[in-house]
Structures are given as structure tokens and as C-alpha cells.
Amino acid sequence: LLQTLVYHSSCSENLFLKDRFGASQLVVFVNDLQGVQTCDFNATYTILLENSFNTVGSGSSATLTTLNGNIEVGNQIIPFNFTDEISGTVLSPNTTYVGTPLKVDVNIDLTVVSNNQVTTIVSAISPSGYECNGIDSLNFVSGL
């Protein structure tokens, strides 16, 4: 069941995102001054894999084996696993993965202050058979 509500404001009181009117809640509005205003932000996280070293000319190739992690948006945990996409890919020294784009889409409610964290764990095998592991994390607060 869809309910549509047109609210006429005399500007005597401001409207705010998440205001409620009966069964309806304001989650998006448009006006001439501000344009489209919404409480949702659709974020796309893109994972970049590089086989790089601080010293030019050093390093060796690596055969990627696993790539997984999770995205925390407030109390919600969104796992991801790109192992099928990257497994067996060989990264030469000082190169970047150029296969299938590694992207995760999430929705962030900007009216709620939340801690957000993206954690990525990658594993690979060196030409000598050694397992290499890397972890990276991005943390930020939204809704301030």
C-alpha cells in the first residue's frame, strides 16, 4: 500500500528530514533554494589491489588467493567476498589489479550519527610458495 502526502508549509515552522505526519515520514524533499534533500547517501566502496614496494625495482609477483572483508555502518555489518573474482590472478611487482571492478554499495542514513568502517583482507602466494597476507581498514563518522 502506497500513501502519498502533500504537505503545504506556510514557512511558520521548518521541515526537517525524518519529520512524521501520520503514517508518513519525510525522507526526501525538493525546494528551489536547496534542490533535492535526502537523508540517505548511497556509497560505493571500490577496492584497489596493488603489488607495490617502497623501493623501486624490488619485490616479486604474487598470485592472489582470497579477498574478503566487511563494511560496518553503525551496528549493521555487511560482509563481502571477492575471492571468486581475484583467485589465481598474478600481480607482477609494481602493478595494479585490472580485472572485474571490486565494488560494494551501501546506504548510509545521514540523519543518524554512526561509526563506519571498511575492513579488507587479502591473501596471496609468492613464487617461492610463501603465503602473504594484507589487511586495510578505513574508518569515518557520518551524520555529524
Side-chain angles (χ1 to χ4, degrees):
L1 177 65
L2 176 66
Q3 180 184 29
T4 302
L5 175 73
V6 176
Y7 177 82
H8 175 74
S9 173
S10 65
C11 297
S12 61
E13 291 187 39
N14 291 328
L15 288 175
F16 296 97
L17 291 170
K18 297 273 183 122
D19 280 353
R20 287 196 169 274
F21 304 96
S24 298
Q25 184 177 33
L26 183 62
V27 293
V28 63
F29 67 85
V30 180
N31 66 38
D32 293 335
L33 181 63
Q34 298 170 304
V36 176
Q37 297 296 306
T38 181
C39 52
D40 293 322
F41 176 73
N42 295 316
T44 299
Y45 296 102
T46 303
I47 300 165
L48 173 68
L49 297 175
E50 279 183 327
N51 183 3
S52 61
F53 290 85
N54 292 332
T55 307
V56 176
S58 67
S60 64
S61 62
T63 302
L64 300 173
T65 56
T66 63
L67 174 62
N68 57 54
N70 62 60
I71 299 173
E72 297 176 43
V73 179
N75 294 326
Q76 180 184 15
I77 297 177
I78 304 160
F80 60 85
N81 188 332
F82 290 114
T83 297
D84 290 343
E85 288 82 346
I86 59 97
S87 184
T89 301
V90 177
L91 285 183
S92 298
N94 301 309
T95 61
T96 302
Y97 171 80
V98 292
T100 304
L102 307 171
K103 297 182 177 190
V104 181
D105 295 322
V106 298
N107 184 273
I108 299 173
D109 183 345
L110 297 177
T111 65
V112 177
V113 176
S114 65
N115 186 45
N116 304 277
Q117 183 166 314
V118 182
T119 304
T120 304
I121 304 164
V122 63
S123 297
I125 301 290
S126 74
S128 303
Y130 293 105
E131 183 174 340
C132 314
N133 297 294
I135 187 168
D136 194 19
S137 186
L138 166 72
N139 190 300
F140 66 95
V141 177
S142 62
L144 294 176

Short mmCIF file of all heavy atoms in Angstrom, two decimals, residues 10 20 23 25 30-32 41 49 53 62-63 65 74 78 81 91 93 99-100 105 109 121 132 134 136:
data_model
loop_
_atom_site.label_atom_id
_atom_site.label_comp_id
_atom_site.label_asym_id
_atom_site.label_seq_id
_atom_site.Cartn_x
_atom_site.Cartn_y
_atom_site.Cartn_z
N SER A 10 3.48 26.90 5.52
CA SER A 10 3.40 28.36 5.45
C SER A 10 4.72 29.00 5.84
O SER A 10 4.81 30.21 5.96
CB SER A 10 2.28 28.86 6.37
OG SER A 10 2.63 28.56 7.71
N ARG A 20 7.60 13.28 11.02
CA ARG A 20 6.48 12.35 10.77
C ARG A 20 5.17 13.12 10.71
O ARG A 20 4.94 14.05 11.47
CB ARG A 20 6.39 11.31 11.88
CG ARG A 20 7.47 10.28 11.82
CD ARG A 20 7.09 9.07 12.69
NE ARG A 20 7.99 7.98 12.46
CZ ARG A 20 7.85 7.08 11.49
NH1 ARG A 20 6.83 7.14 10.68
NH2 ARG A 20 8.71 6.11 11.35
N ALA A 23 1.13 8.43 9.18
CA ALA A 23 1.91 7.24 8.83
C ALA A 23 3.09 7.57 7.93
O ALA A 23 3.88 6.70 7.60
CB ALA A 23 0.99 6.23 8.14
N GLN A 25 6.64 9.62 6.77
CA GLN A 25 7.85 10.21 7.30
C GLN A 25 8.59 10.89 6.16
O GLN A 25 8.73 10.34 5.07
CB GLN A 25 8.74 9.15 7.93
CG GLN A 25 9.99 9.72 8.59
CD GLN A 25 10.81 8.66 9.28
OE1 GLN A 25 10.87 7.52 8.86
NE2 GLN A 25 11.45 9.04 10.37
N VAL A 30 12.21 18.55 -2.01
CA VAL A 30 12.81 19.40 -3.04
C VAL A 30 12.31 20.82 -2.83
O VAL A 30 11.13 21.03 -2.58
CB VAL A 30 12.39 18.93 -4.46
CG1 VAL A 30 13.01 19.80 -5.53
CG2 VAL A 30 12.75 17.47 -4.68
N ASN A 31 13.24 21.77 -2.89
CA ASN A 31 12.82 23.16 -2.90
C ASN A 31 13.74 23.94 -3.83
O ASN A 31 14.80 23.45 -4.23
CB ASN A 31 12.76 23.77 -1.49
CG ASN A 31 14.11 23.89 -0.82
OD1 ASN A 31 15.11 24.21 -1.45
ND2 ASN A 31 14.14 23.66 0.48
N ASP A 32 13.34 25.13 -4.21
CA ASP A 32 14.10 25.92 -5.17
C ASP A 32 15.48 26.33 -4.65
O ASP A 32 16.44 26.41 -5.41
CB ASP A 32 13.33 27.18 -5.59
CG ASP A 32 12.07 26.84 -6.37
OD1 ASP A 32 12.04 25.75 -6.99
OD2 ASP A 32 11.13 27.66 -6.37
N PHE A 41 22.45 8.41 1.80
CA PHE A 41 23.60 8.56 0.92
C PHE A 41 23.98 7.18 0.42
O PHE A 41 24.24 6.27 1.22
CB PHE A 41 24.79 9.20 1.66
CG PHE A 41 26.02 9.29 0.82
CD1 PHE A 41 26.11 10.20 -0.21
CD2 PHE A 41 27.09 8.44 1.05
CE1 PHE A 41 27.24 10.29 -0.99
CE2 PHE A 41 28.23 8.52 0.27
CZ PHE A 41 28.30 9.44 -0.75
N LEU A 49 43.66 -3.13 -5.55
CA LEU A 49 44.74 -4.03 -5.15
C LEU A 49 46.00 -3.67 -5.91
O LEU A 49 45.99 -3.58 -7.14
CB LEU A 49 44.36 -5.49 -5.46
CG LEU A 49 43.17 -6.06 -4.72
CD1 LEU A 49 42.86 -7.46 -5.21
CD2 LEU A 49 43.42 -6.08 -3.22
N PHE A 53 56.04 -1.82 -3.59
CA PHE A 53 57.02 -1.74 -2.52
C PHE A 53 57.55 -0.32 -2.47
O PHE A 53 57.44 0.44 -3.43
CB PHE A 53 58.19 -2.71 -2.78
CG PHE A 53 57.79 -4.16 -2.63
CD1 PHE A 53 57.22 -4.84 -3.69
CD2 PHE A 53 57.97 -4.82 -1.43
CE1 PHE A 53 56.83 -6.17 -3.56
CE2 PHE A 53 57.59 -6.14 -1.29
CZ PHE A 53 57.02 -6.82 -2.35
N ALA A 62 52.93 -11.95 -7.13
CA ALA A 62 52.08 -12.58 -6.12
C ALA A 62 50.83 -13.11 -6.82
O ALA A 62 50.24 -12.42 -7.65
CB ALA A 62 51.69 -11.58 -5.04
N THR A 63 50.47 -14.35 -6.50
CA THR A 63 49.25 -14.93 -7.03
C THR A 63 48.16 -14.76 -5.98
O THR A 63 48.24 -15.32 -4.88
CB THR A 63 49.45 -16.42 -7.35
OG1 THR A 63 50.52 -16.56 -8.28
CG2 THR A 63 48.18 -17.01 -7.96
N THR A 65 44.90 -15.15 -3.83
CA THR A 65 44.12 -16.34 -3.46
C THR A 65 42.76 -15.98 -2.84
O THR A 65 41.75 -16.59 -3.21
CB THR A 65 44.90 -17.24 -2.48
OG1 THR A 65 45.30 -16.48 -1.34
CG2 THR A 65 46.12 -17.83 -3.17
N GLY A 74 27.26 1.85 11.30
CA GLY A 74 26.60 1.82 12.60
C GLY A 74 26.69 0.42 13.17
O GLY A 74 27.78 -0.14 13.28
N ILE A 78 28.05 -5.62 6.93
CA ILE A 78 27.80 -6.11 5.57
C ILE A 78 29.06 -6.83 5.08
O ILE A 78 30.06 -6.18 4.76
CB ILE A 78 27.45 -4.94 4.62
CG1 ILE A 78 26.27 -4.16 5.18
CG2 ILE A 78 27.20 -5.44 3.21
CD1 ILE A 78 26.12 -2.76 4.65
N ASN A 81 32.86 -10.81 -0.25
CA ASN A 81 33.86 -11.80 -0.59
C ASN A 81 34.08 -11.76 -2.10
O ASN A 81 33.18 -12.07 -2.86
CB ASN A 81 33.41 -13.19 -0.14
CG ASN A 81 34.49 -14.23 -0.29
OD1 ASN A 81 35.38 -14.13 -1.14
ND2 ASN A 81 34.43 -15.26 0.53
N LEU A 91 49.79 -10.80 -9.83
CA LEU A 91 50.18 -9.38 -9.87
C LEU A 91 51.70 -9.31 -9.89
O LEU A 91 52.37 -9.74 -8.95
CB LEU A 91 49.67 -8.64 -8.64
CG LEU A 91 48.18 -8.31 -8.56
CD1 LEU A 91 47.89 -7.50 -7.30
CD2 LEU A 91 47.73 -7.56 -9.78
N PRO A 93 55.35 -7.26 -9.81
CA PRO A 93 55.76 -6.15 -8.94
C PRO A 93 55.34 -4.80 -9.53
O PRO A 93 55.39 -4.60 -10.75
CB PRO A 93 57.29 -6.27 -8.91
CG PRO A 93 57.58 -7.69 -9.24
CD PRO A 93 56.49 -8.11 -10.18
N GLY A 99 41.19 -6.51 -13.18
CA GLY A 99 40.08 -7.40 -13.53
C GLY A 99 38.73 -6.77 -13.24
O GLY A 99 38.56 -5.55 -13.27
N THR A 100 37.77 -7.62 -12.92
CA THR A 100 36.42 -7.20 -12.59
C THR A 100 36.47 -6.14 -11.48
O THR A 100 37.16 -6.33 -10.48
CB THR A 100 35.60 -8.40 -12.08
OG1 THR A 100 35.63 -9.43 -13.06
CG2 THR A 100 34.17 -8.01 -11.77
N ASP A 105 28.23 -1.61 -2.66
CA ASP A 105 27.31 -0.49 -2.48
C ASP A 105 26.61 -0.61 -1.12
O ASP A 105 26.13 -1.69 -0.76
CB ASP A 105 26.25 -0.47 -3.58
CG ASP A 105 26.83 -0.21 -4.95
OD1 ASP A 105 27.76 0.60 -5.06
OD2 ASP A 105 26.36 -0.84 -5.92
N ASP A 109 22.50 6.39 6.34
CA ASP A 109 21.49 7.36 6.78
C ASP A 109 22.22 8.54 7.42
O ASP A 109 22.80 8.41 8.50
CB ASP A 109 20.54 6.71 7.78
CG ASP A 109 19.42 7.63 8.22
OD1 ASP A 109 19.50 8.86 7.99
OD2 ASP A 109 18.44 7.12 8.82
N ILE A 121 40.69 -7.86 3.73
CA ILE A 121 41.77 -8.80 3.99
C ILE A 121 42.08 -9.53 2.68
O ILE A 121 41.18 -10.11 2.06
CB ILE A 121 41.37 -9.82 5.08
CG1 ILE A 121 40.96 -9.09 6.35
CG2 ILE A 121 42.50 -10.81 5.33
CD1 ILE A 121 40.20 -9.94 7.34
N CYS A 132 51.27 -14.70 1.69
CA CYS A 132 51.35 -13.28 2.07
C CYS A 132 49.93 -12.83 2.42
O CYS A 132 48.98 -13.20 1.75
CB CYS A 132 51.84 -12.43 0.90
SG CYS A 132 53.27 -13.11 0.05
N GLY A 134 47.52 -9.33 3.74
CA GLY A 134 47.45 -7.89 3.97
C GLY A 134 46.08 -7.52 4.48
O GLY A 134 45.07 -8.16 4.15
N ASP A 136 43.63 -3.95 5.41
CA ASP A 136 43.50 -2.50 5.33
C ASP A 136 42.15 -2.12 5.93
O ASP A 136 41.18 -2.88 5.84
CB ASP A 136 43.58 -2.03 3.88
CG ASP A 136 43.78 -0.52 3.76
OD1 ASP A 136 44.22 0.11 4.74
OD2 ASP A 136 43.50 0.03 2.69
#
